[in-house]
Every structure is written in C-alpha cells, then in structure tokens.
Amino acid sequence: MNKQNLNVNENNDLLLKKNKVVNYTADETNALLVKKENRAKRKKFGALFFVWFMLILLYLPIVYLVVYSFTDAKVVGQWTGFGVKSYTLLFNPKNKDSLKLWEATWNTIWVAALSSVLSTILGTLGAVGMHFLGKKLKTAMNVATQIPIVNAEIVMALSLVILFVFLGLPTSAFSLIIGHMVLTIPFVVINVQPKLEQMDPSLYEAALDLGATRKDAFFKVMIPDILPGILSGFMISLTLSLDDYVITEFTKPTSSNFNTISTYVQSTLAKGNIPIQLKAFSTILFLFIVAAMIGYSVYNYKQSKKI
Amino acid sequence: MPSSQGQAVKKTKNHVSEPRKALTIPYAAFLVLFVIFPILLIFFYAFTDKQGNFTLQNFQDVFAGDASNATFKVIGTSLGVAALTTVICIILAYPIAYILANSKYNKNKIVVYLFLLPMWINFVIRTTATRDMLLLIGIDYRTMPWVTSIIGMVYNYLPFAILPLYNTMLKLDKSQIEAAADLGANPFDVFVKTIIPMTIPGIVSAITMTFMPTMSSYVITDALSGRTITLIGGLIENKFLLSQLNVGSVYAILMLILIGASVVFERHFTEQGGKR
C-alpha cells in the first residue's frame, strides 16, 4: 500500500513537471501575455529589418549611379564636386557617344515593340489553337513550347546563327526579330493558356448559335475573355526583349554598327571606361521606371476599388 | 430520334472546332523552323567540318590532350559558380519570400514590387554599376574576382529565386503550421518538418530558375572578374566571335547535356512534391 501511494505521488510529481502545471495569479498571466506580445513584436521587427536591409543592398548600385551622375569625374568613385556635365553631354546633339547611346535606345525600343507585338499575335493564336487540339498533339506542342524556356539563351543564340549560316543568309534585322521572338513567344503562350482553361466554352458556342460569324465570335467573345493573359504575356515579352544581351549580340545585323543599349554598353565596357553620360541616362531610365511602376500601382488600386 | 440529333450536334461542333485548331499552325511552324531545327543543326555542325564532311575533329579539339583539362576546368568553374549562386540565392530568398508572403509581417504588395523593380534596369548597366559600386567600397574585382562575380550573380538572380518561392508561400496551409506548433513542435521542427516539405515545389523551381541561367551568364562574370573567370557560355561566345561554329556546337551540346540533367532533376523532385 505504502509503496503504491509513493508511486502515485511520484507519478503526480512527474505529471506536474511534464505539463508544467502551475497556478498563475492574474498579474502573472498578464506579465506572461505582455512578454509573449513583446516577443512577437521583436520577431516582426527582426523580419522587417531583414527585408528592408536586403532591399537597401539591392538598390545600392542604383543609388551609386544616381548620386555619381551628378559629378563630372570620369574615374570610378571619384567625386569632383557637384556637376551636371553628364546630363548636358547626354542632350548635346554634337556628342558622338550620346548620339550612339540614343540610337541604341531607339533600336532597343523598336526591336522590343515589334518582336513583342509579333510574339503576342503568333503566341495567342498558337495558344488558342492548342487549346482545341487532341491530347497527343497538345502534349507535343506543350513540350516544344517549354524548349526555349528551359534552354540556355546562348545555345539558342548559337543555333539561330548556325541556321542563318546554313540558309546562306547574313544576320539582319530579320534574324534579330526572330531571335527575340524565340526568346519571348513561349511566355505569351504560357500566360494565355490558363485564361483559356478558365474560359467558359459555351459562350463562344452561344455566340455562334446566335448568328455571330466566327471572326466576330473570336474577336468579340473569346479575345476579351483571355485579354488579361494576352496583356501579361505582352508585358513579359517587352521586359525580356528590352533587357536582352546574348541573343541580340549573336543575331544582330553584322553589316552596320547596329547596337541596342545592352550591346552598346558592353562594347564600351570592353574598350575601358564607360562614357559619363551613361550614368545620367541610367538615372533618367530609373526615374521613368519608378514613375511607370507608381502609375501601374495607382491604376491597380483604383481598379480594385471599383470592384 | 434523340441519338440522331446528338450526332447532328456533334457534327456541327467538329465542324466549328476545325478552323480553331488550325490557328496553331503558324506557331507550330515557327517552333519547328526556329527552335527545333536549329538545335538539330547544332548536332549536325558538331560532327562536321567547315565543308560539311563528317569529322570527330571538333570533339578532339575540345577533349583531346591539354584541351580536355581546360574544358573540364571551365565546366567545373561553371558548375561551381552556378551552385554557389544558387545556394546563396535560396538562403537569402527563402526568408524574404516567407516574410513577404506572411500577412503577419507584410500586408503590402508594393514591397514585393520593390524587389522586382531593379530587374527593369538594363542588366548590363546594372552589372557595370555593381562593379563600380563594389570598387568604391573597397571590393576590387581585379583582386577578388570570385567575390565580386558571386555578388553580381546573386544580385542578378535573387528576384528569380524570390518569385517562385513567394508564389508557393502564398498558398501555404497556415493551419498545418499552427497545428504543429500547438501539438508541441519547437520552431525548428515546425520549419524543417512542415514548412520546408510544403514549399519543395517552390524551392525546386527557384533552383532551376537560378542554376541553369547562371552557367550561361558569362556577361556578368566577364565584367565582374575582369575576364579571369570563364564559364561555358563564354567559351561558346568566344567560338562564335572566331566564327568557329563547329567547335562552338560541341560546347553547346555539353550545355544541352547539363540542361537535360537539370530538367530530369526538376521533374524528379516536382513529382515527389506532387505525391505528398
């Protein structure tokens, strides 16, 4: 009996220890709650500190460009007092480097615009057609669509150069546009596809039943339905094309001194120091991007409020 | 009667859908002509000389004698840079994505955009700026090419690692995490045994988004190592500039093999993730 009692007592002790059953007074409970709250606050502060610290690191090179665009020094990191020479040079129509930079900018823009529009049209039509294909053909097309996404850009660039050599054609504006389309078209397709799957197929059929021509049903029923996917495919195409270096370097026209911003900056880098107006140019570009971003956010915010 | 009506409906349906299928023809032709056929040409070029005769000389140029040491050194360097970049990117991107996707810490989508914004600055300009900024704070690319190259690579690919992780973390089942914590798991166990397994698809796609492109991003290592670190991509560019497309094709095949291996790796792990 005695032994059993002892055992029970021991067990109780153990249970108490394991579950830490302690009787708290109200004050003690409050103190614990405050402690818990403080711990959560500290955790949140730590998390936000980390995120903002990373953001500052990410923006350091850009801040460097912006700050050092306001000094006339050519050497990296040298500050020779405040100056706006980089800006006046950039807008000086007689400066050769600035002219080349603006020409490269114009080339970058039209190549991106043209290749993105063509990719968007061809890719959207492709995605719509694929949506109605049989299972085997659809899988084959999906695999083919993945190739340019998975493949290394430089392998595609080399393969296109080989294709044009094989066909006996020199690289030209045509090969450049083709190169950018290869880069961007799969992203149009994979952005349109989910919208097609969400689409209500009976709407298109209904339009046809009610006497719409196929063209009308396609442009007035199907396209508006999948428009968000088309637009995001177009935006990704623009982004990829504007930023591209490798495919541009390989497929750009060899005959003339054709450059986009990427290839122009890379070629000046190879020669040594970059011209100082490039810093002014980058600053303006950055402000332009920030403005576009703010505009887009405001637009999104207003759209979400409407709904 | 009803069955014949059904057939009639079916007939018109097929009739309607035919021209829609045809919409894919131009796209399919584009893919065959400018994606698939050029890749087949790479294999053709690797096994022929400039006159188009069959030869194994190109492979000898790459793998025979002294050349093989140089080639394997470049492959090793590429894999090393890619692996290091990927590991650092994931270590940094994982907590960032977790914090951004967790409404406890962040309710604002704009912070997510802020991480993507630098991507819209031309990447050659961005890389140049990184080089000069690092020089300014005393990290010289001429004396520490590895440090500057890896910083440049991580800088460039971090957003690509954050995005897929962020997207999977948005869909994270919070009740499982809370349940694990309520049932007595310590924070470390909660992290290793519930959060990581749930985010494996995101981790895998973050790895493929950073690992593969890094190996061919010779522009970044060229600028940030003063051309002392060579990646496979750099070898291909070199052969292109020398118009040695046949030898370049051999390097391209090497690259394709590495890509194939990483696709197999990705498939393996995403399928495992799907089974859970």
Side-chain angles (χ1 to χ4, degrees), chain A residues 243-305:
Chain A
D243 212 35
D244 181 70
Y245 170 76
V246 176
I247 283 203
T248 313
E249 170 71 15
F250 277 61
T251 57
K252 76 190 172 88
T254 37
S255 49
S256 59
N257 268 328
F258 183 94
N259 272 314
T260 63
I261 295 176
S262 302
T263 59
Y264 172 73
V265 177
Q266 186 69 6
S267 68
T268 56
L269 257 184
K271 280 180 213 148
N273 264 337
I274 52 169
I276 62 166
Q277 53 266 51
L278 197 65
K279 289 175 193 157
F281 178 80
S282 310
T283 304
I284 294 169
L285 182 70
F286 182 65
L287 289 178
F288 187 74
I289 294 164
V290 170
M293 203 67 163
I294 292 173
Y296 178 73
S297 302
V298 169
Y299 171 80
N300 257 2
Y301 182 71
K302 278 190 177 164
Q303 288 295 77
S304 68
K305 267 204 159 176

Side-chain angles (χ1 to χ4, degrees), chain A residues 58-59 132 145 204 243 262, chain B residues 20-21 27 114 122-123 155:
Chain A
L58 277 184
Y59 281 86
F132 297 104
T145 301
Y204 180 81
D243 212 35
S262 302
Chain B
R20 287 188 293 189
K21 281 184 194 170
Y27 175 59
L114 281 179
N122 185 288
F123 103 102
Y155 182 50

Side-chain angles (χ1 to χ4, degrees), chain B residues 212-243:
Chain B
M212 275 324 299
T214 312
M215 279 200 285
S216 53
S217 300
Y218 60 92
V219 182
I220 297 177
T221 44
D222 273 1
L224 286 163
S225 75
R227 291 182 184 266
T228 55
I229 295 176
T230 313
L231 304 183
I232 310 181
L235 285 183
I236 297 178
E237 188 211 22
N238 198 14
K239 295 297 167 198
F240 161 72
L241 292 175
L242 296 168
S243 299

Side-chain angles (χ1 to χ4, degrees), chain A residues 37-101:
Chain A
E37 219 169 79
N38 280 342
R39 210 184 309 142
K41 261 188 199 162
R42 261 201 309 260
K43 222 173 141 189
K44 187 176 175 180
F45 177 78
L48 290 181
F49 179 81
F50 173 69
V51 163
W52 285 98
F53 181 71
M54 289 309 297
L55 269 180
I56 289 169
L57 284 186
L58 277 184
Y59 281 86
L60 266 184
I62 297 162
V63 172
Y64 160 82
L65 271 183
V66 173
V67 171
Y68 277 82
S69 71
F70 289 106
T71 189
D72 299 345
K74 268 195 166 177
V75 182
V76 173
Q78 207 176 48
W79 182 267
T80 52
F82 180 82
V84 288
K85 197 172 149 199
S86 66
Y87 290 88
T88 50
L89 267 183
L90 181 63
F91 292 104
N92 183 348
K94 280 178 197 144
N95 186 287
K96 264 189 186 170
D97 284 333
S98 303
L99 280 181
K100 277 187 193 162
L101 185 54

Side-chain angles (χ1 to χ4, degrees), chain A residues 179-212:
Chain A
H180 279 232
M181 283 175 72
V182 169
L183 185 72
T184 56
I185 206 166
F187 291 93
V188 176
V189 174
I190 62 169
N191 271 284
V192 173
Q193 274 176 335
K195 296 288 162 204
L196 281 166
E197 261 139 46
Q198 289 163 15
M199 185 180 70
D200 184 356
S202 49
L203 274 179
Y204 180 81
E205 312 274 337
L208 287 182
D209 285 349
L210 293 171

Side-chain angles (χ1 to χ4, degrees), chain B residues 86-196:
Chain B
T86 308
V87 168
I88 298 175
C89 275
I90 301 283
I91 291 175
L92 292 176
Y94 201 89
I96 293 173
Y98 183 75
I99 294 166
L100 290 181
N102 197 327
S103 57
K104 231 192 314 183
Y105 304 117
N106 177 45
K107 293 188 184 73
N108 205 337
K109 259 224 147 133
I110 292 180
V111 187
V112 184
Y113 289 143
L114 281 179
F115 273 97
L116 306 180
L117 195 68
M119 275 168 66
W120 272 278
I121 298 220
N122 185 288
F123 103 102
V124 183
I125 293 181
R126 212 169 47 209
T127 305
T128 315
T130 313
R131 188 193 73 178
D132 293 354
M133 196 267 309
L134 288 173
L135 200 60
L136 189 67
I137 58 171
I139 305 177
D140 192 331
Y141 64 95
R142 284 159 297 199
T143 53
M144 290 177 268
W146 273 88
V147 178
T148 49
S149 295
I150 297 293
I151 292 176
M153 285 285 190
V154 171
Y155 182 50
N156 199 53
Y157 287 105
L158 191 61
F160 293 98
I162 293 177
L163 257 190
L165 285 169
Y166 174 74
N167 284 332
T168 30
M169 301 233 191
L170 277 182
K171 288 177 253 162
L172 211 61
D173 185 358
K174 299 243 165 44
S175 55
Q176 277 200 39
I177 302 168
E178 278 160 19
D182 287 347
L183 293 171
N186 62 37
F188 180 76
D189 277 348
V190 172
F191 180 67
V192 173
K193 290 184 182 159
T194 69
I195 298 178
I196 287 200

Side-chain angles (χ1 to χ4, degrees), chain A residues 129-204:
Chain A
M130 278 163 74
H131 187 65
F132 297 104
L133 283 179
K135 208 178 174 193
K136 270 188 186 166
L137 272 176
K138 199 176 182 177
T139 313
M141 286 297 291
N142 274 329
V143 171
T145 301
Q146 285 293 322
I147 294 175
I149 300 177
V150 178
N151 203 352
E153 209 188 324
I154 187 139
V155 176
M156 290 192 288
L158 185 78
S159 73
L160 280 171
V161 168
I162 291 178
L163 174 74
F164 279 90
V165 170
F166 181 79
L167 295 176
L169 297 169
T171 50
S172 59
F174 175 69
S175 60
L176 181 63
I177 294 291
I178 292 290
H180 279 232
M181 283 175 72
V182 169
L183 185 72
T184 56
I185 206 166
F187 291 93
V188 176
V189 174
I190 62 169
N191 271 284
V192 173
Q193 274 176 335
K195 296 288 162 204
L196 281 166
E197 261 139 46
Q198 289 163 15
M199 185 180 70
D200 184 356
S202 49
L203 274 179
Y204 180 81

